[in-house]
Amino acid sequence: MKYVILIHSNPQPWGHPTGDFIPEVQSLPEATRDGLTAAWEAVMEELSANGELLGGQALADPASARLYRWDAGEPVATDGPYSEAKEHLAGFFLIDVESQARAEEVVRSFSGPGETVELRPVATY
């Protein structure tokens, strides 16, 4: 079963890993931050070793986005991001796991202070 893990965040300034730029993470003791990083890296290594990680990518600053909307019969480009929001899509990972339970187990390690992580099945037709 394929799932996408969508990382929503609003670090200021924009940077990756996003947790390094989020006040909620920056306020944690260094040992706690190191523990969160180590746990995430362990899950990434496990996913890679098991062949469950299909890919992923961090996204550039939302301010660099261009939006295309249909207007008067043609696409019109405007500056992004999509909307005024507190959170923006920061990146994604594509996984292929045995079950939804496994996907939920994996995604817990992607969620950190000040971030929202979305788990969504990939549509299959």
Side-chain angles (χ1 to χ4, degrees), residues 4-8 14 16-18 40 44 53-60 89-95 110:
V4 65
I5 299 169
L6 301 168
I7 312 298
H8 299 270
W14 191 262
H16 292 281
T18 54
W40 184 80
M44 291 300 291
L53 181 63
L54 301 181
Q57 192 67 50
L59 299 176
L89 185 60
F92 68 93
F93 294 89
L94 181 61
I95 59 173
F110 285 79

Side-chain angles (χ1 to χ4, degrees), residues 30-64:
E30 184 176 352
T32 302
R33 291 191 315 265
D34 291 345
L36 290 170
T37 299
W40 184 80
E41 288 174 352
V43 168
M44 291 300 291
E45 288 177 19
E46 178 186 355
L47 290 170
S48 293
N50 293 344
E52 294 174 308
L53 181 63
L54 301 181
Q57 192 67 50
L59 299 176
D61 187 333
S64 65

